[in-house]
Structures are given as C-alpha cells and as structure tokens.
Amino acid sequence: MWRQRYQLMLLLTDTAVIVGAAAGTGTWLYTVAPHRDAAAAGIHTGIAFLVVVVWTLMGALMHTRDPRLIGVGAGEYKRVTNASAATFGALALGYVLIGGSPAREFVLLTWPVGLAALLASRWLWRNWLVYQRRFGHFLSNVVVVGQRSDVSYVVSQLMKKSGAAYDVVGVVLEGKTKIPSLQVGSQAVPVVGNLDTVRDAVKHTGADAVIVAGQLRRGSGYLRELGWDLERTSTELVVASSLTNVAGPRIKLRPVEGLPLMHVEMPSFTGGRHVIKRCMDVVVSAVALLILAPLLAALAVLIKRDSAGPVIFSQERTGKNGSTFRMYKLRSMVTSAEEELERLRDLNQASGPLFKLYDDPRVTRVGKWLRKYSLDELPQLYNVLRGDMSLVGPRPPLPTEVSQYVGHTHRRLFTKPGCTGLWQVNGRSDLDWDESVRLDLYYVENWSVTGDLIIMWRTLKVMLNPKGSY
C-alpha cells in the first residue's frame, strides 16, 4: 500500500511540475510576443496543453514510477530523462511537420526547465523516502532463500548498500541446517522455513518479495515452481545473480526458443567513451583549479603557519598499466612522517597491504580537518589535468602495495586511478582490503560516464558529511 501511495504522490508532483513548466513558458512567450491577442493566447494555451498531455502519457508509458526503481539507484532518474527526451523528440517532429515559430520556441524553452524541475522533485522525494526509512517506514520486507554462504553475503550487502530499502524479515536455507537464526554481522536473522515452505514463510512474515541468493542445488525446476506459488500471494520473485561484479549494462538477456541466454559483454578499456572521459577530466579539472585557487592559497597559508615544512606533499603512486607518477597533496602530516612509519607499523589498523591509524600521531592539527573534509586531495586535480589520474577511478596505490597484489587484484591497474571513486563514497578508510578491491574491480569493468557523474555528486555529499576519513 505504501508503494501505491508513494506512486500517487509522484504522479501528482510530476503533473504539477509539467503543468508549471508549460504554463510558465507559455505565459512568458505570450508576454514577449509582438502581437498579443485572443488568437495568440489560444495558440500558446493549446501548445501548453499538448505538451502536458504528451509528457504525462510518456512518463506513464515508460514506467517512470516503476516501484522496482523508486528510492534506489539511478534508474529512476534515467527513466525520467528518457521519457522527457522521447516527449520532446515526438513534439519536435510534429512541430517540424506542422510548422510554426511559437511551437519551436516552446519546445526549446520548456524541455530543459521542465526536465530540471522533474529531476529536482524526484531527488527531493528520494531524500524524504530515505529519511523515513531510517525510522523503519516505507520498507520492502523480503525473505532471502539459498545456501548459507550465499544468503549471508546477500543479506550483508542489503544491510549495507541498499539505503535501507529492504528489510530482511527472514531467511530460508537450503539443506538440513537446523538453526533458529542466521548471524550476519551484529544482527540475527530468523530462519523461517525450508525450501518446501517458502510460501508459508511469506504469509507468516508478510514479505513483499523473495530473493533467491545464488544457485540452488534443486535446480531451475524448483525456481519455476516457486514463481508459480508466489503468484498466488502477489509476492515478487527476485534472483540475485552470481555475477556479483558485473553491472546491468554489460548483461544482455537474449531468449532463444524459450531458453533465456544471459550474455556478458566484454569490458571496454579503450574507445570513444574513454575519449569523452578524458575530455571531461581536462575541462572539469582546469575549471576547478581556477575556481579553487583562492581556497588553495588560503590553505597553504594555514599549513605553513601550523607546522614547518613544504605546503605540497608528493609521493610516488602507481597508475594505469603499472606506470608510476608523482601524486600531489596538501601536506597533512609532519615532514618526518615517512621516517616514523616503521616504528608505527605494528600499530596498523588496516587490513591487507594498506596502512592506516585512526588516530595517527604524525597528522598535524590543520591536517586533521584537511583530511576530514578531503581538502588535502585538491592538488590531485593537477594530476588529472596532466593525465596521470582521472576524476573518478580506483584508489591510487603505492608501489609497495602493488608488489603485494595477487591474482586478479592487478586488474585495478587497467584504468587510471581517480581522485574519487566507489571506495570514497562507500566508507573510505572504514572499508577492509577485500571490499576495497571488490569495489575497484567493479568500477574498472563497469564504469560509465553517467556513473562517473553520479559518483562525483555523491563525493560532494560525502565531503560535506564526512565518514570514514582519518
């Protein structure tokens, strides 16, 4: 029921935004028109009405309020953008065929204003929904089914990554395991049945969906029968792919005579998308350096007055394909930090080849809040402009870390390291080594320009509300 109410509120808001954009554009065009009479007013009103009708219908036809998308991920915003583009593509074609200057001007003015307003309203609703979910409201109750290791992984990821969109109300374990609950982190999730009683478990827990984690030993026949059973309870069946590091855009489902074949496309490390990425790096880093020049100068003065030593700290890092470069940062430690590292090695609180102390004595007074708000990393924009780094990418590793890489970890070096990345917007220093590697590999193989823009936006939010930065 909450989904239906939320969809209704989105529909009302979307309609109000579209009507407002069309009415505002029509009013302005009528005001500046050389001939303002009843005929002109009728033309502008008719065009505005047509825009509202087509835009609203296109939003419904392209499922911009799909309950599977609202509240999580970028899919909702993409649907809104695509529906808006389709609307004005169709209107522009019609106006070209019919002709008329007011219609052309209407399209050119209404589309950017209306789209920006729609995205802003969806963003505000998203933030309201996330806020409400902190108190246990507007959650989708789910039961997770599968083998114990797969269930544990899926439940832990849902708890950490879904923005509390899902509330795991129970698990069903395959096999003869007889335990009352499954311990996942600090939370005990009740075991609510076995593979033969999933439908009863759904009724008992009031679950909205059943998530099948990984591959079941009972095969695809059981999955088909489970889907038939859940139809009677209007419960959604979700299958968590075992391809955990493969993103949706690389997966194509192509049925052949009733056999669904899942094609996993090869990751791309060269080509046109990388040219666009480089152009974006150059433009954004150059503009940012110009805008931030006064701030960098002020920070330089504070660092110089706080402790002796240079303002800029440089360190050798490993870049794309194993090449090395000098990475620049604002100095946040004492000048003898490298020499003091060995005596602190035994106090290391990080996992793997990383070194991290949550209360590092080498950090200066100014350096503490520079690190907290990631201001010490601003000079890396110069590395981006030079081409050593990218705005978004894997974490830039030290050569000593690279020397300890084993197996597939070297795939992190297939692309340029970034000033920010999935590692920064998902916990930074709070991440363990395995999770950091997983996020970097996921990015390397599945990156996109849209994904980079989303990560940069999330980075701004993390900088204003820092977490995991030491």
Side-chain angles (χ1 to χ4, degrees):
M1 292 301 296
W2 74 260
R3 286 196 189 95
Q4 296 175 7
R5 294 196 301 270
Y6 188 76
Q7 285 177 291
L8 177 60
M9 295 307 298
L10 289 181
L11 173 61
L12 295 175
T13 305
D14 290 349
T15 303
V17 167
I18 293 171
V19 170
T25 302
T27 301
W28 185 80
L29 286 176
Y30 176 74
T31 302
V32 300
H35 303 289
R36 293 192 294 274
D37 51 24
I43 291 174
H44 287 101
T45 302
I47 296 173
F49 179 77
L50 182 61
V51 167
V52 171
V53 171
V54 176
W55 206 340
T56 303
L57 288 176
M58 198 65 72
L61 291 174
M62 298 189 71
H63 305 288
T64 60
R65 291 171 289 274
D66 190 329
R68 293 170 296 182
L69 296 176
I70 55 177
V72 178
E76 179 182 1
Y77 302 119
K78 290 180 180 178
R79 288 277 181 92
V80 171
T81 302
N82 292 338
S84 302
T87 298
F88 283 89
L91 290 173
L93 180 60
Y95 294 157
V96 168
L97 297 176
I98 298 173
S101 177
R104 182 178 63 252
E105 295 171 351
F106 210 103
V107 170
L108 294 176
L109 291 174
T110 307
W111 187 77
V113 174
L115 177 58
L118 276 176
L119 293 176
S121 68
R122 291 298 186 99
W123 180 78
L124 291 172
W125 274 115
R126 171 76 63 90
N127 279 270
W128 178 83
L129 188 61
V130 171
Y131 178 76
Q132 291 295 322
R133 283 170 170 170
R134 295 177 183 175
F135 305 101
H137 305 151
F138 304 107
L139 296 171
S140 295
N141 297 330
V142 298
V143 171
V144 183
V145 178
Q147 299 182 40
R148 182 168 181 169
S149 58
D150 293 332
V151 169
S152 296
Y153 177 76
V154 169
V155 171
S156 64
Q157 292 300 105
L158 291 178
M159 290 178 177
K160 290 190 299 182
K161 306 297 182 182
S162 68
Y166 300 101
D167 183 20
V168 181
V169 294
V171 298
V172 173
L173 303 178
E174 185 176 25
K176 298 181 179 180
T177 305
K178 294 183 179 180
I179 53 176
S181 62
L182 178 67
Q183 192 70 30
V184 181
S186 60
Q187 186 169 340
V189 184
V191 177
V192 293
N194 55 52
L195 294 189
D196 296 320
T197 60
V198 173
R199 183 180 169 188
D200 295 334
V202 167
K203 289 183 177 180
H204 175 70
T205 58
D208 306 305
V210 171
I211 299 178
V212 178
Q215 188 173 4
L216 299 176
R217 288 193 291 268
R218 291 178 60 168
S220 58
Y222 171 79
L223 200 60
R224 182 179 63 250
E225 294 177 5
L226 177 61
W228 292 340
D229 283 341
L230 294 178
E231 282 182 14
R232 304 170 189 174
T233 61
S234 299
T235 305
E236 186 178 8
L237 178 63
V238 182
V239 179
S241 171
S242 57
L243 300 171
T244 54
N245 282 327
V246 179
R250 286 180 54 208
I251 297 177
K252 306 296 181 184
L253 193 63
R254 295 164 186 164
V256 178
E257 296 298 330
L259 178 65
L261 299 179
M262 185 180 293
H263 291 245
V264 181
E265 296 180 354
M266 295 286 290
S268 174
F269 303 111
T270 57
R273 289 192 306 141
H274 288 265
V275 175
I276 296 174
K277 183 179 177 71
R278 179 57 187 154
C279 291
M280 187 168 64
D281 285 344
V282 171
V283 172
V284 174
S285 62
V287 172
L289 285 172
L290 287 174
I291 295 175
L292 296 173
L295 174 62
L296 289 170
L299 294 176
V301 172
L302 292 175
I303 294 170
K304 203 69 177 176
R305 295 184 62 180
D306 181 57
S307 61
V311 171
I312 298 295
F313 169 76
S314 68
Q315 191 176 47
E316 187 177 57
R317 296 292 179 112
T318 303
K320 184 177 180 179
N321 297 325
S323 61
T324 57
F325 66 95
R326 302 298 298 185
M327 187 185 77
Y328 300 98
K329 301 176 68 174
L330 292 176
R331 183 173 59 83
S332 60
M333 290 186 172
V334 296
T335 55
S336 59
E338 294 292 323
E339 291 77 14
E340 296 179 23
L341 177 61
E342 289 305 318
R343 70 177 180 84
L344 299 172
R345 186 75 68 177
D346 293 337
L347 302 177
N348 185 21
Q349 294 172 299
S351 57
L354 297 176
F355 178 85
K356 181 67 64 174
L357 285 178
Y358 297 145
D359 190 16
D360 197 321
R362 300 173 299 165
V363 178
T364 63
R365 183 178 55 181
V366 170
K368 287 183 178 181
W369 59 265
L370 285 177
R371 286 173 166 241
K372 180 178 181 180
Y373 295 100
S374 301
L375 296 175
D376 61 319
E377 298 175 2
L378 291 180
Q380 292 175 21
L381 292 170
Y382 176 66
N383 288 113
V384 175
L385 189 61
R386 286 182 40 167
D388 301 323
M389 298 175 62
S390 179
L391 291 170
V392 183
R395 189 185 63 82
L398 292 163
T400 54
E401 296 174 19
V402 176
S403 65
Q404 300 179 56
Y405 282 0
V406 292
H408 57 263
T409 309
H410 283 92
R411 295 180 67 86
R412 297 172 87 180
L413 307 178
F414 283 4
T415 190
K416 292 179 182 178
C419 295
T420 185
L422 289 175
W423 48 275
Q424 188 173 47
V425 298
N426 284 281
R428 302 186 66 181
S429 296
D430 287 341
L431 296 174
D432 59 28
W433 171 250
D434 291 337
E435 183 67 3
S436 174
V437 170
R438 189 188 71 81
L439 289 174
D440 280 345
L441 294 182
Y442 181 90
Y443 175 83
V444 168
E445 298 190 354
N446 302 291
W447 79 272
S448 66
V449 175
T450 304
D452 281 2
L453 293 174
I454 293 173
I455 291 173
M456 284 189 277
W457 169 248
R458 292 178 61 189
T459 300
L460 291 176
K461 295 169 64 177
V462 170
M463 290 177 68
L464 295 175
N465 185 24
K467 181 181 179 182
S469 180
Y470 308 103

